[in-house]
Amino acid sequence: MTGLRILRAMGMALLAALAVPLAPVRPVAAQELAQRLGPPDATRSVTLRSTTDLDVLRPVLSAFLADRPQVAVRYEQWLSNGLYARATADCLQRRAGADLVISSAVHHMVDLVNRGCAARHVSSGTAALPPALNWRDELWGVTQEPAVMVYNRDLVPEADVPRSRFDLLDLLRSPDSRYAGRVATYDIEASGLGYLFAYADSLEATTFGGLMEAFGRTDTVATCCSAQIMSGIVSGRYLIAYNIIGSYAMERARDDPRLGIVAPDDYTLMLSRGAMIPREAPDRDLAGELVDFLLSVEGRAALKDAALLTDLDELTRTGAATAGQGASLLRPVELSPKLLVASDRHKRMLFLSRWRDAFPTVEPVAPAP
Amino acid sequence: MSDGRLSPDPGPSPRTGPGPGTDPGPGPGPASSAPPDPAVPRGPVAAGATPPGTTLSLKSRVAVAVAAVVLVGGAVVLATALAYGRHAAREAYDRLLVGAASDIAESITIRDGTPEVDMPVSAFELLSLARKDRIAYRVIDRAGRTLTGDAAAPAPETLRDLSLYSGAFGDEPARYAAVVRRFAERGYSGPVQIIVGHTLRARQELARDIAQNALAVLGAAGAAIALFASLAVASAMRPLTDIGAALARRDPTDLTPLRAPAPREIAALRDALNAFMARLDRQLRANRDLISNAAHQLRTPLAAIRVQLEAAADDPDPARKEALLTRVHERSRAYGRLLDQLLSQGMVLHRADAIAKERMDLRDAALEIYEQSDIEVFATGLRLRLDLPDDPVTVEGDLLSLTEAGKNLLTNALRHGTPPIALGVARTGGEARLWVRDAGPGPAPGVLKRIGDRFARDGLSRDGGAPGGVPHTSSSAAGRSEGSGSMASDAVEPKVGGSTDRVSPTAASPDGACPADAPPCGATPGGAPRGGGAPQTTGAAMGGGLGLSIAQTVADNHGGRLSHGTDAAGFEIAMILPVAPA
């Protein structure tokens, strides 16, 4: 629990920084990792800041670099809230930062674009995107990843496997259920993606209220980061995890048969990571080239290999979704100004206070001044 | 052309020379071999000269007019459409802004003395209808603090329940709506202002769409207008082309009026054309008549002169020779007078159509007649009284023609009437009279009966009624078939209207040769070597001339008539013309 506390504290610090976006931004040490890819003698370099695990994205970037011997990618892996804070600060101070920003917390990206922080880029690739995945030619949805439930195949009997949120609610009905305390989900205060999924859930169905209540009743664990949660599942620490980004889970499930994945039957959120070229990007052209690559046939093949492009067929084939589901099962998170509501200060305060009410173990965060 | 023909042209002219095809004579005379007089304008040559230039075609004119209408109208419509588009876009999206702002206002609650905004997704769904526009929003409490949203969003200058205003959003222009919700709660009493704005892309797109649609409709309308205008012009022009084609198809001598029905505008042209052709036809006829008349009238006396000259040459007796020569001299003078009259008749006929009538004082004509008759009056030794009213007698007329007509009436009186002779002008009611009076009984009633008859012979000569009188202004062969008339008419008729317009009056050829098929020719009265009677009669006809006919023609042309009467004082003949309206 101590580790969790520390993580929470980090999240609170982030939140404090975010709560007042216009106040001088404190340096946030949220950068998890920085690595340079490509030949050492490359003449051009593109700085990519992303929330994506480098290990997942590396083959995609390698494919990009394969045809470009003169290009290097400077990759920085960030937590979504930190990335948002940094990009906002860069934009407000008109400071050259990243050439390309890709975040799973697309409400952050929508907010950045809405603030006028993005540069326009138009190509055949961006023009071919559906309207829900292209906002103002400044923000593009480059991946397609479901929000899934993950469970331990060894420890969760087949009959118990929740196919929908209602099933999960049933499992958590009683505080002395064997799943009590062994269900995990993102800590939405720490994870921008977790917040986004929770917010999207709150818009989709009334189930979310019941689910929060059940989570609180059964001491569900709110924690950070997909990797830790999945490790917990595999180790048996958690039996079921809710609203986990499907790409990581599927990637991991390829190697680990203990990991079961469910795309909920009632609806499955479909997230497209948002890519945006900051207005002050040093090399916009190269950044645009990278975006075009991600939208190209070749790039999409690489993304698919990295489990970053999942469609209904794929979900059905892997058994995550029950066969015979229509496309209405999937609820894409649209890249539109509607997501601004998710970033609204009061909305966020209200949402988090509801969250805290449900998770009494989480220490309350002082409301923003 | 008419002038050329009617002017006394002494030189041989191809028009009066014998035509090669119809000349039965021994060979072409000197006239026929003479080169055409270059000074005489000729129809075909004139027509073959530089063709008249064409001006901008009617289609082009209509095209220009339509283009102007479409362009000017298009500019106006486009400007209007743009303005309307902008207005419509502004209205539509302003409502969106107000709707969203009100939506947000509804979502505000007071908790612990602080307004709390549970931002409604519906407001942003509304705003996302402008899909590509960035959204700025801001909620301000009574103290002016920004509760949520973008603190940089501009607030309206005054706090009103609803404000709509323009401002900036970052680097882009934007439109804002601000609404105020007033609270009266225990913990919070006062207004909360909600500002919502977005950038203008959707508005501009909508305005552009509207304008583009208007432009498309306008383009289509322009094309349709052009098409219909072109069809209309083609249809409107068809009657003109038809008239042109009808004229082109015509026989060159055909001067009958065009009968084809035509639209009103073009009927005017057709009627003018018909009138023109009718005038041309009249003049052609007049010329033809004149020529045949001249040929006929001149031929006989000339033959008589020739015969007498031959007789004189053959006569050994000097006294008889002298008498014959004197006679020839007299005759040639009469011959000259006849020629004058023929020309005079040609002139009045020509002027009837060619010269516009003007307002004039008929007294001027009388004075002119009086003066021009001086020599003749002096020669006869008679006295001439001139009787003019004090006031002007105004008519619409041609002074020259009227003078000519009056002169002829006067000459007749001087020559055949009984002195005293008077000339005068009078006005009775709406009629003006130019009269000539003598003390005699007037001509024989039979002669007067024929006044006004176009085929009448001028028998007013008092010296015996001129049994062998001469037809004049006649186009009918029947009218002059007596005597030698047939010769002239036969010779003239087929020629008139030919392309060279030449007339070959064989009977009038200088050597007096007669057509082979005209045996009476040799038996003309003038043909008798010593025939004193017949030439005398002819001479009288020459003297009487065409005077009355000329007067009749002029009176007709002026819308008047000839009138005559005999009373105790003598005989009066008058030209009666309508008085010109004041």
Side-chain angles (χ1 to χ4, degrees):
Chain A
M1 280 309 269
T2 322
L4 196 56
R5 294 276 161 145
I6 294 167
L7 284 169
R8 292 232 174 95
M10 274 173 65
M12 277 178 249
L14 272 174
L15 184 64
L18 278 172
V20 196
L22 294 178
V25 178
R26 277 178 279 156
V28 188
Q31 185 182 335
E32 296 180 316
L33 184 147
Q35 203 174 95
R36 191 174 189 279
L37 307 177
D41 58 341
T43 51
R44 297 175 76 186
S45 147
V46 59
T47 303
L48 170 57
R49 286 184 183 150
S50 174
T51 56
T52 319
D53 283 1
L54 177 58
D55 291 338
V56 174
L57 204 56
R58 195 191 305 272
V60 178
L61 295 176
S62 299
F64 173 69
L65 293 171
D67 297 339
R68 297 168 178 79
Q70 297 304 309
V71 175
V73 173
R74 198 186 122 73
Y75 190 82
E76 294 180 12
Q77 185 181 319
W78 292 69
L79 285 176
S80 52
N81 288 346
L83 181 56
Y84 175 47
R86 178 61 192 267
T88 308
D90 282 352
C91 173
L92 291 176
Q93 294 166 25
R94 298 192 175 258
R95 178 176 63 193
D99 292 303
L100 186 65
V101 177
I102 300 179
S103 174
S104 52
V106 289
H107 60 300
H108 291 161
M109 306 300 274
V110 166
D111 186 55
L112 283 169
V113 169
N114 192 58
R115 286 163 181 264
C117 295
R120 202 169 124 89
H121 169 70
V122 180
S123 69
S124 56
T126 63
L129 280 170
L133 295 185
N134 180 354
W135 191 40
R136 284 172 65 90
D137 291 320
E138 294 174 0
L139 178 62
W140 311 277
V142 291
T143 67
Q144 213 169 322
E145 304 160 55
V148 296
M149 293 189 275
V150 180
Y151 65 96
N152 187 313
R153 288 185 193 275
D154 293 344
L155 301 177
V156 177
E158 188 59 36
D160 279 0
V161 172
R163 304 306 311 183
S164 69
R165 289 173 183 78
F166 307 112
D167 292 350
L168 185 59
L169 268 174
D170 289 344
L171 289 182
L172 299 177
R173 202 160 288 286
S174 131
D176 44 354
S177 153
R178 72 176 277 254
Y179 296 97
R182 298 184 76 180
V183 173
T185 189
Y186 290 128
D187 177 355
I188 70 166
E189 289 186 64
S191 161
L193 177 61
Y195 177 83
L196 177 64
F197 278 160
Y199 169 77
D201 271 343
S202 75
L203 297 184
E204 286 298 338
T206 49
T207 351
F208 185 68
L211 210 50
M212 286 237 279
E213 199 185 321
F215 284 161
R217 202 165 51 226
T218 58
D219 293 330
T220 292
V221 182
T223 182
C224 171
C225 308
S226 316
Q228 281 95 324
I229 291 175
M230 267 176 299
S231 298
I233 294 284
V234 170
S235 71
R237 162 77 187 82
Y238 311 126
L239 297 179
I240 298 172
Y242 175 72
N243 256 2
I244 302 304
I245 184 108
S247 48
Y248 298 155
M250 292 166 94
E251 173 86 2
R252 187 127 180 195
R254 284 179 194 170
D255 304 327
D256 199 331
R258 285 172 294 181
L259 214 55
I261 296 173
V262 172
D265 268 354
D266 45 351
Y267 67 88
T268 299
L269 290 174
M270 209 66 172
L271 176 83
S272 286
R273 286 173 201 257
M276 157 208 126
I277 303 171
R279 196 182 52 209
E280 273 83 22
D283 196 340
R284 284 191 205 175
D285 292 345
L286 196 53
E289 219 175 294
L290 182 46
V291 169
D292 292 345
F293 173 79
L294 293 175
L295 299 176
S296 71
V297 175
E298 195 191 351
R300 290 177 76 80
L303 286 169
K304 207 172 174 76
D305 286 346
L308 289 170
L309 264 185
T310 307
D311 54 15
L312 186 61
D313 289 347
E314 175 85 3
L315 289 174
T316 313
R317 196 175 53 74
T318 56
T322 44
Q325 293 282 356
S328 63
L329 171 72
L330 304 180
R331 303 286 158 83
V333 178
E334 202 180 324
L335 301 185
S336 88
K338 279 182 262 181
L339 282 179
L340 288 174
V341 178
S343 303
D344 179 70
R345 192 197 311 169
H346 275 208
K347 190 74 174 181
R348 189 178 164 83
M349 264 165 29
L350 290 167
F351 199 73
L352 288 180
S353 77
R354 277 174 75 193
W355 173 265
R356 275 192 299 272
D357 290 348
F359 290 78
T361 48
V362 181
E363 283 181 7
V365 178
Chain B
M1 190 157 154
S2 303
D3 284 334
R5 186 178 298 170
L6 292 175
S7 66
D9 183 3
S13 159
R15 286 192 305 274
T16 51
T22 50
D23 185 7
S32 68
S33 63
D37 186 347
V40 180
R42 299 176 59 187
V45 174
T50 329
T54 49
T55 55
L56 193 61
S57 82
L58 290 177
K59 274 198 177 180
S60 309
R61 286 166 203 241
V62 172
V64 166
V66 168
V69 166
V70 169
L71 280 183
V72 172
V76 171
V77 169
L78 195 61
T80 314
L82 270 174
Y84 171 72
R86 221 171 277 146
H87 179 74
R90 166 171 285 202
E91 287 277 301
Y93 284 105
D94 278 357
R95 270 177 214 172
L96 219 64
L97 286 179
V98 173
S102 309
D103 220 357
I104 296 174
E106 287 304 309
S107 73
I108 300 174
T109 49
I110 306 296
R111 214 165 96 182
D112 303 333
T114 310
E116 193 177 80
V117 191
D118 186 6
M119 194 57 68
V121 178
S122 60
F124 283 77
E125 271 169 353
L126 210 55
L127 292 169
S128 324
L129 292 176
R131 231 201 91 69
K132 289 192 167 174
D133 282 308
R134 299 194 285 128
I135 296 166
Y137 70 93
R138 181 183 178 189
V139 181
I140 306 171
D141 70 4
R142 59 182 174 188
R145 279 177 305 172
T146 300
L147 296 170
T148 185
D150 182 359
E157 286 163 9
T158 53
L159 192 71
R160 276 183 296 174
D161 282 352
L162 173 62
S163 315
L164 287 161
Y165 53 101
S166 297
F169 180 16
D171 300 334
E172 277 186 81
R175 179 90 174 153
Y176 290 93
V179 300
V180 171
R181 184 173 171 194
R182 294 171 203 285
F183 287 93
E185 303 286 327
R186 187 181 293 274
Y188 186 97
S189 177
V192 174
Q193 191 173 32
I194 299 98
I195 297 167
V196 174
H198 61 187
T199 49
L200 306 177
R201 275 200 207 181
R203 294 165 188 252
Q204 285 158 354
E205 261 172 36
L206 180 58
R208 200 164 45 233
D209 269 5
I210 291 175
Q212 259 168 8
N213 288 345
L215 199 62
V217 169
L218 188 72
I225 290 173
L227 177 69
F228 284 117
S230 147
L231 291 176
V233 171
S235 150
M237 291 302 110
R238 196 167 308 121
L240 272 185
T241 331
D242 289 350
I243 287 187
L247 286 178
R249 269 200 311 273
R250 274 192 167 212
D251 188 273
T253 58
D254 186 359
L255 288 176
T256 54
L258 291 165
R259 292 287 174 214
R264 200 183 324 122
E265 296 83 354
I266 289 168
L269 173 70
R270 181 199 61 196
D271 295 345
L273 207 60
N274 281 344
F276 178 73
M277 287 200 300
R279 212 155 64 225
L280 206 60
D281 192 37
R282 268 201 306 280
Q283 291 190 356
L284 270 180
R285 274 175 205 278
N287 287 336
R288 202 163 52 195
D289 290 347
L290 183 71
I291 287 161
S292 71
N293 225 352
H296 179 74
Q297 301 235 17
L298 298 182
R299 181 180 145 279
T300 312
L302 200 59
I305 289 172
R306 195 188 64 214
V307 165
Q308 282 171 344
L309 276 176
E310 281 167 3
D314 293 344
D315 208 320
D317 180 0
R320 280 184 56 180
K321 197 178 224 162
E322 179 69 22
L324 275 170
L325 282 177
T326 310
R327 189 144 198 165
V328 166
H329 181 67
E330 278 170 12
R331 249 172 220 290
S332 67
R333 266 179 42 210
Y335 193 80
R337 277 201 300 278
L338 178 62
L339 204 57
D340 282 349
Q341 277 189 319
L342 279 170
L343 289 172
S344 154
Q345 187 185 30
M347 186 198 71
V348 300
L349 277 172
H350 164 66
R351 289 183 73 90
D353 272 328
I355 304 299
K357 310 218 173 354
E358 293 169 345
R359 286 176 75 83
M360 55 163 283
D361 189 351
L362 200 54
R363 297 180 304 171
D364 289 344
L367 280 172
E368 193 69 22
I369 296 160
Y370 184 77
E371 280 165 17
Q372 287 187 18
S373 304
D374 265 359
I375 296 169
E376 202 158 354
V377 171
F378 181 75
T380 52
L382 297 171
R383 256 187 56 229
L384 175 61
R385 188 164 58 85
L386 185 61
D387 189 356
L388 296 181
D390 293 336
D391 298 326
V393 181
T394 311
V395 295
E396 299 265 346
D398 173 26
L399 177 63
L400 209 62
S401 296
L402 289 172
T403 305
E404 204 59 41
K407 258 163 66 184
N408 277 289
L409 292 181
L410 180 61
T411 305
N412 270 347
L414 286 171
R415 206 158 292 156
H416 312 292
T418 313
I421 292 169
L423 164 72
V425 170
R427 177 177 169 169
T428 45
E431 288 181 338
R433 293 161 64 87
L434 175 67
W435 53 260
V436 174
R437 177 180 270 282
D438 68 78
V447 174
L448 285 171
K449 257 189 215 156
R450 291 198 292 263
I451 291 181
D453 177 358
R454 290 210 25 106
F455 306 111
R457 291 162 207 166
D458 192 348
L460 276 182
S461 44
R462 311 288 167 76
D463 58 353
V470 186
H472 59 268
T473 64
S474 158
S475 59
S476 159
R480 44 174 189 231
S481 55
E482 312 171 32
S484 55
S486 60
M487 259 28 90
S489 69
D490 285 348
V492 173
E493 293 245 335
K495 292 294 159 204
V496 178
S499 60
T500 59
D501 228 12
R502 275 189 303 180
V503 173
S504 175
T506 327
S509 53
D511 61 353
C514 293
D517 61 349
C521 175
T524 48
R530 294 164 206 276
Q536 251 172 353
T537 318
T538 315
M542 283 163 66
L546 305 159
L548 207 53
S549 158
I550 291 170
Q552 177 73 53
T553 306
V554 172
D556 285 350
N557 285 338
H558 284 74
R561 63 181 200 276
L562 276 189
S563 114
H564 56 85
T566 312
D567 57 16
F571 173 76
E572 181 194 276
I573 185 153
M575 237 183 333
I576 298 176
L577 308 175
V579 170

